[in-house]
Structure formats: C-alpha cells, structure tokens
Amino acid sequence: MGRRPVTVRLARWSAEHPWRAIALWVVFVAVCFVGGSAAGLNEATDEDQAIGEFGRAQLIVDSGGFDRPATENVLITARSGSLDQAAAKAAAQDAADRLRQVDGVASIGTPMPSRDGSALLVPITMSGDPGTAGDRVQPLRDTTAKVQDAHPQLRVEQVGGPSIDKALDDTLGKDFKRAELLSLPVTLAILIIAFGALIAAGVPVLLALSSVAAAMGLSTLASHLVPATDTTASVILLIGMAVGVDYSLFYVRREREERAKGRSGLDAVEIAAETSGHAVVVSGTAVIISMGGLLLAQDAIFSSLAVGSILVVAVAVIGSLTVLPALLAKLGRWVDRPRVPLLWRLTAPRTGQSARPRFWPAVLKPALRAPVATLLISVALLLALAAPALGMKLKFPGPEDVPRTTAAMQAYDRLTAAFPSNGTSHTVAVRAPAEQADRVRAALTDLAGRTATDPLFAPAEGDGPEIQVSVDRRVSVLEVATPHASRSDEASRSLHELREDLVPATLGGIPGVEYAVGGGVAASEDYAAHIWAKLPIVAAFVLALTFLVMAWTFRSVVVALTSILLNLLSAGAAYGLLVLVFQSTWAEGLLGFTSMDAIVTWLPLFLFVVLFGLSMDYHVFVVSRIREAVDRGMPNREAVAHGITSSAGVVTSAAVVMVAVFSIFATLSMIDFKQLGIGLAAAILLDATIIRAVVLPSVMTLLGDANWWAPRFMRRRTVVAPAVEPPPAPAPELVGAR
C-alpha cells in the first residue's frame, strides 16, 4: 500500500493529539479575528465600482470635488381635499423656526409650492458628513413630528435621502435580526432530527460558526488587497454556515457508521478522513473554483464576494480535516449524547440486515429498472422548468420596490406625486477645459429647455435648471428628472434619448468635452449589460476547471462531464423557477412582494457560481460512495443503488438545513433577498431530490462501466479500496433484469 493521503495523516495526527489540535484551531480563529479587527476594513470606492457609462459619470462628478451636503424636506399636504395655502404657510414657518434650533441643520430653504398647489415643500440642508446623515436624522424627524402635532388639520411629514436610509436600515435590521434568531435554532433542530443526539448536532454548528469568525477576520485583512463591500460579511455568513454544516455532516455521519460496525474511535476517524474527508477536499475545491470565477467579472462587488467566499470555504475545509477529527476522537461515544429517545431510535447507525433502508430503494426503483424512460421524462420536466429563463430580464430594484410599510416611503410617494423632479432623475456629468465653462453652461441650459417640453422628462421646479459647476470650472452637472418610475420602459427610453440624441446634440461640438449620463436608471441598464457580457466568461471558467478537477479526482472523463451537465440542468431549472415566481404576479400574496417584472441584476451571476459550487457538495459525496463500491468489485447497477442509499441520510439532512436557512431569506422585506432565498432554496431542493434520486442514477445505470472511462494517462495504476466492511447486499427489488 502506498503512502496514506494527506487527509488521513492530518486526521490521524489530530485524533492522536486532540488537545493540541483543538488549541491550535482556537488560536488560529482568534488570531484571524483579532488581526482582522486590528487591521480595519478597506472599503471599495466609487472608482473601484465604476461600471459602464454610469461609472464614468460618477467619476466625472467625483472629480469636481462638489460639496454635496445631505438634504431633507418637510412636505406639507392636505389630509383630504385641496390644500389650505394659509395654513400650509403657517405650518412651513413653524417647521422652519423649530428646525433652525436643531443641531445638525445647516440651513432652511424658502418654502416651494408644487405646480398644482397640492403641496408645500420646505428644503433642509444638513451639516456634517453626508455619509452619516442617516444616523443623525432622528432629531429632525422628532421636530417635524412636533410640527405635525401643532397642525393636526394638515399632513406634515419629513422625507429625504437620510430619513429613507434610516427607515430602510431599521427595516433591514429587524429583518436580519429575525433571520439570525430563526436560522440557528432551525439549523440545530434539523441536525438534532438528523443525528438524534444533541452533541452530534452541535458539532457541525460549532465548526461552521468558528469558520465564519476566522474568515471574517481574514477577509478584513484581504480587503487591503481587494477592497470589500457592505455585502461581503453577509455572504461569508451564508456560505460559511452552508458548507461548514455540510462538511461536518458528511464527516460525522461516516465516523458514526464506522463505529457502529465495531471500529475503534481512532480507526473510525481515519476511515472517515479517507472517504468523507477526501470528498470534502474535492467539494471545497469545486466551491473555491466556482467562487474564483467571480474574479473574472472585473467588478469590485463580485471580487469582494469571491475573496470572502473562498476564504470561508478554505477555512471550513481545514477545520473539517483538523479540529473535527480531534473533537470526534476526544468525544468518542459521547458524541451520541445526550440522546433524544424517539429520534435516536430512528437515526442511530445500524449494521447488517437492519441497515437496509426502505424509502430510497423505492424512490430509485424507476431509475434502476427503466433508466432510459426515467431519464427522458425527468430531463424533459427540468428543461420545461428551465424554459422561462430564456425570457429573463435584469433590473436593479428601484424606490418603487421598497416596502411601503414605513412612513418615510409613504411620504416619498406623496413627494414625487407633487414634485416629480424629486423622483427618478438622470445625471448629466460634463468635464471640459475651464475656458469652455460658459459654452458648457449654455449647452446644459439648452438641454434642460429641450427636456422641459418632452413628456418623457419632468420640468425643473423653481426658477429653472440648477447647474452645478466645480470651483475650477472644469466639471458641470445637471440633474434631468423623469416623472416615470425607475424601472419603467418610459424611464429607459428617456435615458436612451439623452444618451443617443439630446446630450450629443447639445454638448458634442464643444472642444475637449467629455460627458456621460448616469443616475439610477443608467446604473440598472449598464450593470445588466455588464452581467450579460461577463456571465459567459465566468461560466466557461467555472465549467472548465470544475471538469478538470472532477475528471482527475474520479479518474473519469464521463463522470466529470455528467457532473457538469447535471449541475447546469439544476441551475437552469432554478433560473426558470425564479422567472416564473418573480416576473409574474401569481406569487405576490404568497411571498409578500410586488413583482418588478424582472430579476435583480446581480443575481444570475452570483446564483450560478454559488449553486454550481454548493451542488457539487452532494454530487461529490454521492459519486464517491458509488466509486467506493465499484472499487470493491460491486457491479455498476448495485454500486449506484448502494452509493445513493448509503449517502441518502446525510445528503438529505444537509439539503434540508440549506433549504430551511435559505428559505428564511425569502421572508425578508427587500425583493433582492427574497429572490436570493427562493433561488438558492429551490436549486438545492431540486439538486438533492430530482437530480440526485432520479437523473443521476438513471444516467449512471444507463452508462454502466462507461461511467469510469478515462484516457490511459488518467487511469489509476493501482486501486486501493477503503478499509471498510462490504456493504449489505442491495434489496432484490433494486436489481432488475439486465
């Protein structure tokens, strides 16, 4: 026998020196976390995140060095009927007098009536850092509430960017707190059902949480090389809990199986390392490759997510190979304590005839007896489910997609109805030599005049267009409003009219001019184009490297190819389901959302790499069990039956944990989190059921010995079977006529 694999040697050392291994792990996690906290987070800048023409517009604006303080508004409207102008002016004066006394208020503007006389607007300029205005806006809101109490016959509201940010932060904070409170108990409950013992259920959660803590610190350090975004920590938690629990489940279940067969604790750990530990390494490599594909998107957000995900997966793999064997060796049979009486009888590892499952053989029967018909029917159903993905549309959520449960968003709707120029707008950013500043101003004034008579645009409020000019006179900015919602076709047409016609016509003849049109609508369209351009590149990278890893791991080109195809089928079906649910209205009441008739722009690319990586967890584990049986000389059909039935419990448990945790995201208020949760949960559910129990056994039964074909240079010189007892013979009903 050759040299033992590194997974076995690591596990053996950890099991023989458990206290050292545990201490080293604790020190590693502490050093990573403390080191990251000390180094501080380096966040991505606008320059890092500049995409398309929208990004160019943002950079032009930033180069102007404008002083852009945070602004708020007091909106005064009638509770019913027409607005009493005298009462409204009195309320506006009262609001201005009170707000001037509030810390954080720099100035109060002149009250501005709406064109139709239905509202009066009092502009407020805040002092201090605009980035922290949302944290400092509450005293202003409290003062506005007092004005409301003093004028009950009117509706007096505060609305603006900081107050909306504050309301959204409060809503999201409550959402995430609820999700955190639910996710851990739900995960623990599922693991207790899976293991029937409290300590066995707690070990995977402990490893996952410690892996997340270490990865958080490492990602903070890595942010000084690849700047981080505000979504990185959430993704580390999401991916870390998923893979950490999965890897521990695979390992612990195998160790328990071997102990049930009479192995000593040390031997059981070693066998688990040789089998499940190997599968964990392969699976982790596949996830890391998938996440690494995000780096090819050349996008600060995806690069940050890639680095965070790679780190947490790598840490989870290391923990599974080191501290997990140490914990299992130290706990010994205590890992099965304290037992939950009924659940323990149902889940305890069994040997001999009693170990033969009944449910999964019944599920597998069609695939093993009629593989061609089963394969054709199941693939046809999955392709039908994937078909709606061909009509997928990508857009950013707009203000209209924010839940209207907050007073700030209700006030925003009344603001944009009375003052359309305060809603959706396009940013025309211009950079030119200082001596051309007068020509630029004239051109922008001409542009504003042309848009004022176009129904695609909203005329400027007040005395006319407000053109901002930098101190050095090189940068000029004009906001061009549209009365249409940011995701509407009319808003999109207004953007294209600006970019393709109006802006070139008015600014194109100025010497040395550089211009770009940005804003929320532009960001949505430019980012969608960016995603569609990068998705094929990322997908090709992930598919190619995953194919190579799978082919080399299993020494089979056929297994690698079928793995890729099955995962593509799973991802396609998840895409189709997302489109069916979120580009239609039938599920709005069920899931509590308003359809945006599109999928959130960043989701398809992120879902592809996450799903491709996570689904490999199950695939690698199942195919590894099938390969073990084949290496011991079991015929292909029986090996497929044995591999799937013997791994069914652990894979089902892992899938249920993931589906439950991801489904919690579907309860959050924001549409992007709902889509993320439903997409991930649906894909994992499809992969763990239809793909694993129907399509995979059909394909492998149909291919027979061809499953393991490989070129001569890839074939194993010797086959060393894991030191396990022969499995019980498969049930007669699984072995059909050949």
Side-chain angles (χ1 to χ4, degrees):
M1 181 179 291
R3 184 181 176 90
R4 291 183 302 175
V6 66
T7 57
V8 177
R9 284 180 277 140
L10 278 173
R12 186 83 185 191
W13 184 90
S14 297
E16 289 175 343
H17 308 87
W19 286 120
R20 293 184 191 177
I22 293 170
L24 286 172
W25 178 256
V26 171
V27 170
F28 169 71
V29 172
V31 167
C32 291
F33 190 78
V34 173
S37 300
L41 186 67
N42 177 38
E43 297 190 71
T45 63
D46 288 339
E47 186 175 359
D48 295 323
Q49 302 182 66
I51 298 292
E53 186 171 342
F54 161 78
R56 295 200 305 275
Q58 186 64 48
L59 294 179
I60 291 174
V61 173
D62 290 346
S63 70
F66 293 102
D67 179 19
R68 291 195 156 191
T71 58
E72 281 285 299
N73 303 279
V74 174
L75 179 67
I76 303 171
T77 56
R79 291 192 176 276
S80 62
S82 59
L83 179 65
D84 183 332
Q85 296 297 325
K89 289 179 181 178
Q93 185 61 50
D94 186 15
D97 292 341
R98 292 176 186 256
L99 286 166
R100 286 192 181 96
Q101 310 304 315
V102 178
D103 288 340
V105 173
S107 63
I108 305 293
T110 302
M112 181 188 305
S114 64
R115 290 178 180 273
D116 60 4
S118 65
L120 190 64
L121 193 69
V122 181
I124 305 167
T125 301
M126 294 182 64
S127 58
D129 181 5
T132 63
D135 300 328
R136 297 180 286 106
V137 76
Q138 191 57 47
L140 283 72
R141 298 172 69 184
D142 294 340
T143 303
T144 302
K146 293 177 182 177
V147 177
Q148 172 66 89
D149 293 340
H151 302 270
Q153 75 278 19
L154 300 171
R155 183 187 289 113
V156 182
E157 305 169 287
Q158 186 168 320
V159 59
S163 56
I164 290 175
D165 289 344
K166 170 68 173 173
L168 290 180
D169 288 344
D170 290 345
T171 300
L172 287 176
K174 292 176 183 176
D175 280 352
F176 281 118
K177 187 174 182 179
R178 185 177 70 250
E180 290 170 2
L181 290 175
L182 285 175
S183 59
L184 277 180
V186 166
T187 301
L188 272 173
I190 295 170
L191 291 174
I192 289 171
I193 294 172
F195 286 115
L198 298 184
I199 293 178
V203 167
V205 175
L206 183 63
L207 177 67
L209 289 175
S210 61
S211 298
V212 168
M216 290 282 192
L218 290 174
S219 69
T220 302
L221 291 170
S223 70
H224 294 275
L225 297 175
V226 179
T229 62
D230 54 4
T231 56
T232 305
S234 299
V235 170
I236 289 176
L237 179 61
L238 184 74
I239 301 298
M241 289 301 295
V243 299
V245 169
D246 268 14
Y247 297 163
S248 300
L249 263 173
F250 297 162
Y251 208 108
V252 174
R253 283 293 287 261
R254 186 57 182 260
E255 189 266 350
R256 293 174 87 214
E257 287 178 20
E258 298 305 325
R259 279 196 292 105
K261 294 174 183 177
R263 305 285 183 187
S264 68
L266 199 57
D267 288 342
V269 167
E270 186 170 333
I271 293 170
E274 189 173 1
T275 53
S276 295
H278 176 72
V280 164
V281 172
V282 176
S283 174
T285 303
V287 177
I288 287 172
I289 287 172
S290 294
M291 294 302 176
L294 289 175
L295 295 171
L296 298 179
Q298 297 179 328
D299 178 329
I301 295 175
F302 284 131
S303 295
S304 174
L305 297 183
V307 171
S309 301
I310 289 170
L311 289 172
V312 77
V313 172
V315 171
V317 170
I318 294 170
S320 299
L321 300 180
T322 55
V323 72
L324 184 57
L327 284 171
L328 294 176
K330 194 64 186 173
L331 288 169
R333 296 193 178 276
W334 275 97
V335 76
D336 294 329
R337 303 284 195 279
R339 297 173 179 176
V340 182
L342 177 60
L343 293 177
W344 172 255
R345 287 195 293 273
L346 293 173
T347 62
R350 295 175 176 84
T351 58
Q353 193 72 13
S354 64
R356 183 178 297 156
R358 294 182 176 85
F359 174 75
W360 286 103
V363 173
L364 288 173
K365 191 181 298 183
L368 298 177
R369 288 190 171 179
V372 175
T374 304
L375 180 63
L376 291 176
I377 293 171
S378 58
V379 169
L381 289 173
L382 288 171
L383 288 175
L385 186 57
L390 297 174
M392 181 184 291
K393 293 181 285 186
L394 301 183
K395 291 183 180 179
F396 274 149
E400 59 269 31
D401 299 305
V402 177
R404 260 47 186 178
T405 54
T406 62
M409 292 312 302
Q410 295 166 11
Y412 173 81
D413 289 339
R414 285 186 278 269
L415 173 69
T416 54
F419 300 90
S421 63
N422 283 274
T424 305
S425 65
H426 308 291
T427 302
V428 181
V430 185
R431 184 161 50 201
E435 59 269 20
Q436 301 295 335
D438 292 336
R439 289 188 63 181
V440 170
R441 175 177 283 278
L444 290 177
T445 303
D446 181 25
L447 173 63
R450 297 190 188 195
T451 60
T453 58
D454 190 326
L456 286 175
F457 302 96
E461 306 288 347
D463 298 329
E466 181 181 351
I467 301 172
Q468 288 185 293
V469 181
S470 63
V471 175
D472 62 5
R473 306 187 73 209
R474 295 184 65 248
V475 177
S476 302
V477 179
L478 171 68
E479 296 289 336
V480 180
T482 173
H484 306 289
S486 63
R487 287 190 290 95
S488 65
D489 292 337
E490 292 83 1
S492 179
R493 286 202 300 272
S494 68
L495 171 68
H496 290 290
E497 185 169 328
L498 280 174
R499 284 182 167 179
E500 298 165 12
D501 183 16
L502 296 177
V503 171
T506 54
L507 291 164
I510 300 175
V513 73
E514 176 189 358
Y515 55 79
V517 181
V521 181
S524 180
E525 296 221 350
D526 292 350
Y527 206 75
H530 173 74
I531 293 296
W532 287 126
K534 297 300 182 181
L535 185 57
I537 299 172
V538 174
F541 171 84
V542 172
L543 294 177
L545 282 192
T546 303
F547 175 85
L548 293 176
V549 169
M550 294 294 287
W552 190 257
T553 298
F554 291 104
R555 298 296 196 271
S556 169
V557 171
V558 177
V559 165
L561 183 60
T562 55
S563 300
I564 297 295
L565 293 176
L566 294 188
N567 279 284
L568 283 175
L569 195 59
S570 175
Y575 281 171
L577 187 62
L578 267 181
V579 171
L580 281 175
V581 171
F582 290 102
Q583 285 188 199
S584 304
T585 58
W586 64 270
E588 288 181 333
L590 182 65
L591 296 174
F593 72 96
T594 300
S595 175
M596 55 184 285
D597 192 33
I599 303 303
V600 177
T601 310
W602 55 267
L603 203 56
L605 182 56
F606 182 69
L607 270 182
F608 178 82
V609 297
V610 172
L611 296 179
F612 214 86
L614 294 183
S615 60
M616 277 297 176
D617 280 359
Y618 309 135
H619 198 82
V620 168
F621 192 71
V622 173
V623 175
S624 294
R625 297 300 287 261
I626 296 172
R627 183 73 205 218
E628 284 180 39
V630 169
D631 287 349
R632 290 195 299 268
M634 186 179 288
N636 182 75
R637 190 185 301 256
E638 288 89 331
V640 171
H642 168 70
I644 293 177
T645 55
S646 63
S647 62
V650 63
V651 172
T652 301
S653 300
V656 170
V657 169
M658 280 201 193
V659 170
V661 172
F662 293 153
S663 296
I664 292 173
F665 277 74
T667 68
L668 303 186
S669 302
M670 305 301 290
I671 187 68
D672 37 5
F673 289 113
K674 285 185 181 292
Q675 292 189 4
L676 176 64
I678 293 295
L680 289 171
I684 296 299
L685 186 62
L686 289 170
D687 188 76
T689 53
I690 297 177
I691 297 293
R692 175 172 56 89
V694 181
V695 181
L696 176 64
S698 299
V699 169
M700 297 195 75
T701 300
L702 189 62
L703 291 174
D705 292 338
N707 281 307
W708 314 108
W709 180 86
R712 184 179 298 275
F713 74 90
M714 287 180 58
R715 296 174 190 170
R716 298 179 180 180
R717 295 182 180 179
T718 59
V719 177
V720 180
V724 295
E725 296 174 358
E733 64 268 20
L734 288 179
V735 186
R738 302 192 180 226

